[in-house]
């Protein structure tokens, strides 16, 4: 079994590698979505922190988040305006 550090390295090689990790930690999930927002497709029940990271990185993929909150949607729509 890979350590969290090894898992982060693994998803940094290619974001889709997250689909090969059982129960990735929030840190691993964030590393994956920062590589490519499409990684959210392979994350079951992403935490608010992961949802915020993906909303900031790649707003076009928030539709992959089931029941995203209005706050996440607002972040996705406005983040580029301020940062």
């Amino acid at each position: 079994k890979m350590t969290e550090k090894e898992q982060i390295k693994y998803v940094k090689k290619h974001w889709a590698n997250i689909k090969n990790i059982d129960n990735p930690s929030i840190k691993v999930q964030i590393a994956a979505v920062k590589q490519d927002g499409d990684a959210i497709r392979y994350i079951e029940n992403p935490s608010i922190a992961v949802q915020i990271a993906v909303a900031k990185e790649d707003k076009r993929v928030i539709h992959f988040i089931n029941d995203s909150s209005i706050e996440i949607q607002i972040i996705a729509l406005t983040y580029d305006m301020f940062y």
Side-chain angles (χ1 to χ4, degrees), residues 23-58:
N23 301 314
S25 70
I26 290 174
K27 286 182 182 180
V28 174
Q29 293 175 30
I30 290 173
V33 298
K34 283 188 172 187
Q35 290 296 307
D36 192 307
D38 283 327
I40 198 76
R41 294 184 294 158
Y42 302 112
I43 299 171
E44 240 180 85
N45 302 316
S47 70
I48 294 296
V50 175
Q51 292 181 41
I52 290 170
V54 81
K56 289 179 178 179
E57 292 296 319
D58 193 351

Side-chain angles (χ1 to χ4, degrees), residues 4-71:
E4 182 178 65
K5 200 173 197 176
E6 290 169 329
Q7 291 176 0
I8 290 170
K9 221 176 190 179
Y10 186 53
V11 298
K12 283 185 175 182
K13 279 186 183 178
H14 196 280
W15 60 269
N17 287 335
I18 194 158
K19 66 184 172 185
N20 301 321
I21 300 172
D22 290 330
N23 301 314
S25 70
I26 290 174
K27 286 182 182 180
V28 174
Q29 293 175 30
I30 290 173
V33 298
K34 283 188 172 187
Q35 290 296 307
D36 192 307
D38 283 327
I40 198 76
R41 294 184 294 158
Y42 302 112
I43 299 171
E44 240 180 85
N45 302 316
S47 70
I48 294 296
V50 175
Q51 292 181 41
I52 290 170
V54 81
K56 289 179 178 179
E57 292 296 319
D58 193 351
K59 63 183 169 202
R60 68 182 175 78
V61 298
I62 66 163
H63 66 275
F64 289 119
I65 302 171
N66 292 329
D67 302 321
S68 64
S69 69
I70 191 71
E71 292 86 0

Side-chain angles (χ1 to χ4, degrees), residues 78-83:
T78 60
Y79 190 75
D80 289 341
M81 296 169 65
F82 301 106
Y83 299 95

